[in-house]
Every structure is written in structure tokens, then in C-alpha cells.
């Protein structure tokens, strides 16, 4: 697993699609009549909320575990797999491991909402709470890898994980070959990097736009600094976009820098309004991290008139309490 993510190409994404077939689904891409009229463009919604675990993370986790089984065999994974997560990746690892009959441990910081921890435990994984950041959770992961011989399934910084997320890019290009822009949440870079790698290989003219939180955006701050940096995590409606990228990041930092064309940061009120808009007009409940594409369109007034735009609705792990908070913040 020493390949650079920058070397991940179409063959890797197609191999990932073969491995995840029957375990992750090809998600719908639908046209939003309300948003298309609002922006005078073709606004297309990629519903990763339709995955069995409710988020795109199932693609990358399933691809990596399946690939390791192919390469190393079941005995090599007998001690189980382990990861750290802000929620969705942990649920994906738990689901994939349970499907393949492998023990799983998911380490979560205390900032991860309880409903996400409960969803992971319900899939049969052991949940371990540790520290106040994802970096602290990863310290526990490292200990279990070194002392117990468990196998790490990273949430983003691995070629196999990125290739799994890249299968979204394959689907987008097959459904809309002349797509003008993809707007996608940016955190660790696995989702944007994977989609960008696949899309750019097929249609270099398609614009890849990243959207981060206005505070605690590790990848955005790292790109600005020119190298990975640590940032303080903050509570947010878009909590799935929290967490660091790792000071020793070996994959996604370089990949995001290569494939992302532009980037925007969005405020909490903009995320809240976007969540409520999607619920009201699309009748779908999405988490804050999934709404940041729409938030960027509105808050930054992006000029998309006449274009075909895909928004990646990355997950639906949101509690009713969080929805109430979003509605109050949006004044609706």
C-alpha cells in the first residue's frame, strides 16, 4: 500500500467498482426542479444518502477491506480492523466488516454525536471513545495496530479508500458526460480527491469545487500553508467535515491540490439554511456536511447560469435535535 494516491487512475476506480458491487449501491442522480429554477441551471443531486449506511464512506471502506482480503487472505485480518472516525466512516467500516465476517473497532472522539456512535455499535463494531479530537482517536488506533495486530482502515488517506470514493466520479461521468462542475464537501480529501481523480481523467474540463467549514477546516488551512497543519476542531452542523488531515498525510493533500479547481468556506447559518431548503424542496433529510454544496451556491453567489452542476449529498446522519437547531438558526 505504498502507492501514492496521485497514481490512482481509472483502472483503480473500475477495480473498486467491481469489489464493492453488491455491497455498496450505484446511487441516484436526480434533477432538482426547484434548485434548477432558482439558479437558472441544471442542478443535479447525487444521493449518497441512499447507501445502506446512509453515506458515501461505504464505498471506500468496502473497497479497502475487500482488496486486503484479495491480497492477504482472511487469516491476515483475523485480529480485526480498526479505524478512527467522525461517524460515517466508522459506520461504513462496521458494516463492511460485519458483511465480511471480520471484527471491527471504531475509535471516536468525544465530539462525535451520540447518535452516530450508537449507529456504529448497532452494526456490531466495538466503539471506543477517546480524547477531544480525531487526532487523539487515531492515537488509540495506532496503539491497537501496534499492540494487537489489527489492520487500519483509514477514513481517507489511502489509495484504496480514495479509489472507492472515486466510483462516484465514474457514475457522474456515465450519467452526465458533459457535466460542467461538481461541488463537494472537503475535509480529509478522500471524497473530493477520489471524485476529482476519476472525473478529471475522463473530462478534464469539468470543474471540481471544494467546500469547507468556515472554522476548523484542516485541509483548506493546509493548502493555504503549503503543507499539512493541525487545526482546533469545533462543533458544527457540518460535523462530518471536522478533523485533521494528519501531519504525515501521504495521499490526499497532494491529490486535492492537484484536482481541485476552486474552494469556498461556508458559515453555520448558510449550512443551516441549505439543510432546511433540501428538506423543504427535496423532501430529504441530509446532514450539514451534505448541504455545504448548496450553501456555497447561495452564500457565495456562484455564477452557474446555464451550467450542469452536480451537488454531492454525502450523508444523512443527522439527529432531529440537530435539525431543530438548523431550523432555528435559519429562522424557519
Amino acid at each position: 500500500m505504498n502507492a501514492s494516491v496521485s497514481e490512482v487512475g481509472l483502472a483503480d476506480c473500475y477495480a473498486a467498482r467491481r469489489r464493492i458491487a453488491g455491497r455498496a449501491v450505484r446511487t441516484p442522480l436526480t434533477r432538482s426542479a426547484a434548485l434548477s429554477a432558482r439558479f437558472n441551471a441544471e442542478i443535479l443531486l447525487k444521493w449518497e444518502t441512499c447507501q445502506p449506511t446512509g453515506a458515501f464512506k461505504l464505498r471506500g471502506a468496502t473497497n479497502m477491506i475487500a482488496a486486503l482480503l484479495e491480497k492477504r487472505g482472511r487469516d491476515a485480518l483475523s485480529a480485526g480492523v480498526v479505524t478512527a472516525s467522525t461517524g460515517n466512516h466508522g459506520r461504513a467500516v462496521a458494516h463492511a466488516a460485519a458483511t465480511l465476517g471480520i471484527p471491527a473497532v471504531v475509535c471516536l472522539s468525544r465530539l462525535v454525536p451520540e447518535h452516530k456512535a450508537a449507529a456504529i455499535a448497532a452494526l456490531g463494531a466495538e466503539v471506543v471513545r477517546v480524547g477531544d479530537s480525531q487526532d487523539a482517536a487515531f492515537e488509540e488506533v495506532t496503539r491497537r495496530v501496534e499492540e494487537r495486530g489489527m489492520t487500519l482502515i483509514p477514513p481517507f488517506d489511502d489509495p484504496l479508500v480514495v479509489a472507492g470514493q472515486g466510483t462516484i466520479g465514474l457514475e457522474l461521468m456515465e450519467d452526465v458526460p458533459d457535466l460542467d462542475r461538481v461541488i463537494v464537501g472537503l475535509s480529509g480529501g478522500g471524497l473530493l480527491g477520489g471524485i476529482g481523480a476519476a472525473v478529471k481523467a475522463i473530462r478534464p474540463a469539468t470543474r471540481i469545487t471544494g467546500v469547507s467549514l468556515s472554522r476548523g477546516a484542516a485541509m483548506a488551512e493546509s493548502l493555504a500553508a503549503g503543507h499539512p497543519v493541525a487545526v482546533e476542531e469545533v462543533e458544527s452542523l457540518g460535523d462530518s467535515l471536522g478533523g485533521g488531515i494528519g501531519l504525515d498525510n501521504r495521499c490526499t493533500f497532494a491529490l486535492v491540490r492537484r484536482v481541485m479547481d476552486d474552494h469556498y468556506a461556508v458559515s453555520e447559518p448558510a449550512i443551516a439554511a441549505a439543510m432546511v431548503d433540501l428538506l423543504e424542496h427535496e423532501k430529504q433529510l441530509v446532514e450539514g456536511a451534505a448541504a455545504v454544496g448548496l450553501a456555497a451556491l447561495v452564500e457565495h453567489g456562484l455564477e452557474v447560469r446555464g451550467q450542469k452542476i452536480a451537488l454531492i449529498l454525502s450523508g444523512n446522519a443527522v439527529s432531529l435535535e440537530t435539525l431543530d437547531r438548523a431550523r432555528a438558526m435559519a429562522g424557519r
Side-chain angles (χ1 to χ4, degrees):
M1 249 42 108
N2 295 319
S4 166
V5 135
S6 63
E7 299 170 1
V8 173
L10 286 179
D12 303 290
C13 294
Y14 283 120
R17 181 151 74 176
R18 173 184 59 79
R19 294 189 192 103
I20 71 176
R23 299 188 177 101
V25 302
R26 182 185 183 114
T27 54
L29 181 69
T30 63
R31 178 183 183 273
S32 169
L35 295 178
S36 294
R38 180 177 179 181
F39 296 104
N40 197 16
E42 289 292 300
I43 304 298
L44 307 167
L45 306 178
K46 183 63 168 170
W47 294 100
E48 285 302 296
T49 54
C50 292
Q51 292 294 349
T53 56
F56 76 94
K57 290 283 192 178
L58 185 61
R59 296 174 184 261
T62 301
N63 183 51
M64 184 168 185
I65 295 174
L68 291 174
L69 284 171
E70 285 180 2
K71 182 176 181 179
R72 302 180 185 176
R74 183 168 296 274
D75 288 346
L77 298 182
S78 60
V81 295
V82 63
T83 195
S85 172
T86 54
N88 286 330
H89 176 64
R91 193 172 179 184
V93 169
H95 184 281
T99 300
L100 296 167
I102 298 169
V105 173
V106 180
C107 300
L108 305 177
S109 83
R110 285 187 283 269
L111 287 179
V112 176
E114 183 56 36
H115 72 276
K116 291 190 176 185
I120 293 168
L123 291 169
E126 178 187 352
V127 173
V128 177
R129 291 279 198 175
V130 57
D132 294 318
S133 70
Q134 193 165 353
D135 289 339
F138 259 111
E139 292 177 7
E140 176 64 16
V141 170
T142 300
R143 187 184 72 80
R144 288 173 180 258
V145 169
E146 294 175 350
E147 296 180 5
R148 305 189 186 186
M150 302 188 77
T151 298
L152 169 63
I153 307 298
F156 54 86
D157 196 28
D158 187 274
L160 290 169
V161 173
V162 172
Q165 322 307 21
T167 59
I168 298 172
L170 298 181
E171 294 170 16
L172 290 173
M173 289 289 93
E174 290 166 353
D175 289 345
V176 190
D178 57 346
L179 189 63
D180 292 300
R181 188 195 296 243
V182 184
I183 305 181
V184 54
L186 176 64
S187 180
L191 178 62
L192 185 146
I195 291 174
V199 168
K200 290 291 189 182
I202 297 171
R203 189 174 190 269
T206 299
R207 197 166 190 84
I208 304 296
T209 296
V211 186
S212 297
L213 304 177
S214 60
R215 298 182 301 146
M219 181 62 80
E221 293 195 23
S222 296
L223 292 170
H227 57 84
V229 299
V231 300
E232 181 181 356
E233 290 186 53
V234 297
E235 290 191 36
S236 170
L237 290 171
D239 53 74
S240 292
L241 296 181
I245 69 168
L247 296 180
D248 59 348
N249 184 288
R250 66 190 184 91
C251 297
T252 56
F253 175 75
L255 179 61
V256 169
R257 186 160 53 179
R258 177 168 67 83
V259 302
M260 187 171 71
D261 294 294
D262 53 359
H263 170 267
Y264 298 90
V266 291
S267 66
E268 293 297 298
I271 296 172
M275 291 173 68
V276 176
D277 279 346
L278 289 165
L279 180 58
E280 289 184 345
H281 297 298
E282 308 303 325
K283 309 306 178 187
Q284 295 289 333
L285 182 59
V286 302
E287 61 189 78
V292 295
L294 176 56
L297 280 176
V298 175
E299 187 168 33
H300 294 280
L302 303 189
E303 179 50 62
V304 296
R305 183 183 301 269
Q307 297 180 23
K308 294 180 179 179
I309 310 295
L311 306 183
I312 309 301
L313 304 184
S314 52
N316 63 8
V318 57
S319 66
L320 293 179
E321 179 184 1
T322 300
L323 175 62
D324 287 342
R325 184 156 55 98
R327 293 180 63 188
M329 189 177 295
R332 287 146 72 181

